Amino acid sequence: MKTREEALSYGLSFPDTYQEAPFNDRNWQLIRVKKSRKAFLWTYEKDGFINLNLKVDPQWRDLWRKTYTAVLPAYHQNKEHWNTVVLDGSIPDDVIKRMIAESYDLVTDSPTKRIYEAVKKIPKGKVATYADVAELAGDRKMARAVGNALHKNPDPSTIPCHRVVNSKGELAGEYAFGGAWKQGQILQSEGVEIVENRVNLEKYRFRKNT
């Protein structure tokens, strides 16, 4: 991701968002949440690159800054709660998208927390799809947010993200907490049969009313 258009387009893909240029300066383009009008994505050009200002959980703030030289303390914003991300091509797209998603979560009504509570409802020996978890969390449209939330699961021992599969019952290509093989290994230990890296949803799918 290198362009403003890519960043703004991704920001607008989140529910109930809109674009605004609030300073009578076209260089500053923001994405806000409609109900609260809070901005979670600021874009502007500086020193020849498009920059993003993104809200960040303080526990992740310094990790991002240490991992990527293109992540800096926020320009013109609270440096404790905001980072600047320079789109110089050095940060993988999926990482940038994750940071944007986290910023969105932080200025909304914490869908991540609702997602974690939903995942906790999946019993041992059962699985749920991303859309199922989104529905349990109150909004079936935020299936993508489920993936973002589970990728940064703070406590896999109590939030069993290994019980979440895609719409075909397939396991994650690269399970975040132990490698591609780990998710299947844990599910099998809980009595879920895995055939060709897939779970039979008709047999093992957890339903809200079951």
Side-chain angles (χ1 to χ4, degrees):
M1 184 182 294
K2 290 185 178 181
T3 69
R4 185 200 301 269
E5 290 71 24
E6 289 176 290
L8 291 173
S9 177
Y10 186 69
L12 287 169
S13 72
F14 289 89
D16 300 318
T17 55
Y18 67 98
Q19 183 175 338
E20 184 181 39
F23 307 128
N24 295 317
D25 180 355
R26 299 300 297 177
N27 185 39
W28 287 85
Q29 300 284 330
L30 317 183
I31 303 296
R32 297 185 186 272
V33 177
K34 289 180 180 178
K35 187 174 181 180
S36 66
R37 300 194 73 251
K38 291 182 179 179
F40 67 95
L41 170 60
W42 301 63
T43 72
Y44 53 95
E45 185 174 351
K46 183 176 181 290
D47 300 328
F49 293 103
I50 296 299
N51 286 228
L52 314 179
N53 279 10
L54 303 171
K55 195 162 190 179
V56 63
D57 188 318
Q59 69 176 338
W60 287 91
R61 176 196 61 219
D62 295 334
L63 176 63
W64 290 131
R65 294 176 188 176
K66 290 177 181 177
T67 304
Y68 299 101
T69 57
V71 178
L72 309 167
Y75 175 67
H76 275 326
Q77 283 184 279
N78 184 312
K79 292 173 174 52
E80 181 178 355
H81 295 284
W82 291 81
N83 276 340
T84 287
V85 177
V86 182
L87 300 186
D88 63 359
S90 66
I91 306 175
D93 282 8
D94 62 331
V95 174
I96 296 173
K97 289 180 178 179
R98 177 180 170 184
M99 287 190 281
I100 293 172
E102 289 175 358
S103 184
Y104 174 81
D105 284 350
L106 288 169
V107 303
T108 56
D109 63 346
S110 189
T112 297
K113 183 177 180 180
R114 287 188 280 124
I115 287 168
Y116 290 155
E117 291 304 313
V119 172
K120 290 178 183 179
K121 295 177 182 178
I122 308 170
K124 185 179 293 187
K126 293 290 185 178
V127 299
T129 67
Y130 293 99
D132 293 337
V133 173
E135 185 174 14
L136 284 169
D139 185 354
R140 194 173 180 85
K141 294 181 180 179
M142 64 179 187
R144 185 183 58 200
V146 173
N148 288 327
L150 298 188
H151 189 73
K152 58 180 183 179
N153 185 349
D155 188 4
S157 65
T158 60
I159 304 170
C161 57
H162 62 276
R163 296 175 189 161
V164 182
V165 297
N166 72 14
S167 60
K168 297 179 181 179
E170 296 170 338
L171 307 187
E174 184 177 350
Y175 181 59
F177 305 100
W181 54 271
K182 187 66 174 179
Q183 183 179 16
Q185 183 184 66
I186 299 173
L187 286 173
Q188 287 178 321
S189 74
E190 295 181 345
V192 177
E193 185 179 8
I194 309 296
V195 178
E196 295 183 349
N197 206 46
R198 181 179 296 186
V199 175
N200 184 333
L201 290 178
E202 290 187 7
K203 183 176 181 179
Y204 295 106
R205 193 174 195 170
F206 171 65
R207 296 293 188 177
K208 187 175 182 180
N209 296 321
T210 60

